[in-house]
Amino acid sequence: MAGFARASSSLALFLLCLVVSSSEGREFLVGGKTDAWEIPNNSSQSDSLNQWAENSRFRVGDTLVWKYDGSKDSVLQVSKRDYVTCNTSSPIEEYKDGNTKVKLDQSGPFYFISGAQGNCLKGEKLLVVVMSSKHSGHLGMAPAPSPVEFGGPAIAPTSGSGPFGGGLIVVFGVLAGWVLM
Ligand SMILES: *[C@@H]1O[C@H](CO)[C@@H](O)[C@H](O)[C@H]1NC(C)=O
Ligand SMILES: *[C@@H]1O[C@H](CO)[C@@H](O)[C@H](O)[C@H]1NC(C)=O
Ligand SMILES: *[C@@H]1O[C@H](CO)[C@@H](O)[C@H](O)[C@H]1NC(C)=O
């Protein structure tokens, strides 16, 4: 009986964790301001969009928001190769409504370029890397300014997993064990 009670509370904790992590998604205005999706003004800023992206810590479930003039520009989600070569001919997705939202639904890199003729070659492109969920235990609201905490050997309780990361797997395994018995 005690085992069952423990299993129930473990299950409750497990479900709570699911709810907490699924409600965590945040919205990021690309470039941090409304008119950032355009050709960078000059060479000293030519990588400003990607500098912004590097300073934001994206997680699965977050949403990118672009605000731009839909009659002049668009947002193309493309493959890495098309990102590098600025090839606009076969995008994975094309958005041109001026208020584009893209949900980052998996970890890894996402590549975006401008659909306007020549703009990508002049630097209007964005690479966003979404961290894998085992690194997303960080519950802070604001994107952390530096990635230092990942390197911290002394502070991290387990190798890189968040407060619930390792525990969840244990809880789940124990639950599965009970069900089998
Ligand atoms: C470029 O310069 C103009 C005028 O100074 C400014 O309004 C705009 O926001 C700048 N664009 C970027 C991408 O910084
Ligand atoms: C380029 O941008 C920087 C920073 O906004 C500005 O200080 C500089 O005057 C600009 N240079 C040119 C040639 O527009
Ligand atoms: C752009 O991509 C398309 C489809 O992948 C390909 O057929 C075309 O040759 C590419 N163009 C350039 C300039 O690389």
Side-chain angles (χ1 to χ4, degrees):
M1 274 300 114
F4 186 76
R6 222 164 53 206
S8 305
S9 61
S10 296
L11 181 59
L13 180 64
F14 176 66
L15 293 177
L16 182 69
C17 291
L18 282 187
V19 171
V20 168
S21 56
S22 64
S23 63
E24 259 185 76
R26 303 155 300 166
E27 289 198 348
F28 287 88
L29 183 59
V30 166
K33 57 181 184 177
T34 307
D35 55 1
W37 190 241
E38 59 179 25
I39 297 170
N41 277 328
N42 61 40
S43 57
S44 74
Q45 310 180 298
S46 67
D47 216 21
S48 55
L49 280 170
N50 282 336
Q51 272 166 22
W52 167 82
E54 280 165 24
N55 289 330
S56 310
R57 194 179 287 174
F58 303 103
R59 298 192 301 246
V60 175
D62 289 343
T63 300
L64 293 177
V65 182
W66 281 260
K67 305 236 188 239
Y68 53 95
D69 183 346
S71 67
K72 297 192 186 124
D73 207 342
S74 62
V75 177
L76 308 182
Q77 186 179 346
V78 296
S79 66
K80 179 178 184 180
R81 208 186 69 187
D82 288 350
Y83 171 86
V84 170
T85 59
C86 285
N87 188 336
T88 57
S89 66
S90 54
I92 299 165
E93 291 284 351
E94 176 170 16
Y95 309 91
K96 43 187 164 189
D97 54 6
N99 184 16
T100 294
K101 296 191 179 187
V102 175
K103 184 156 187 178
L104 303 170
D105 54 4
Q106 61 183 48
S107 60
F110 286 74
Y111 301 94
F112 302 96
I113 63 176
S114 166
Q117 180 78 35
N119 281 21
C120 171
L121 286 169
K122 292 175 187 152
E124 190 179 333
K125 59 201 310 199
L126 175 67
L127 162 61
V128 161
V129 179
V130 179
M131 288 182 300
S132 70
S133 51
K134 75 176 175 184
H135 283 152
S136 69
H138 179 74
L139 293 176
M141 295 301 290
S146 84
V148 164
E149 106 185 24
F150 289 134
I155 315 162
T158 59
S159 55
S161 68
F164 301 117
L168 263 188
I169 294 164
V170 173
V171 167
F172 199 64
V174 169
L175 271 181
W178 261 307
V179 169
L180 288 176
M181 276 193 288

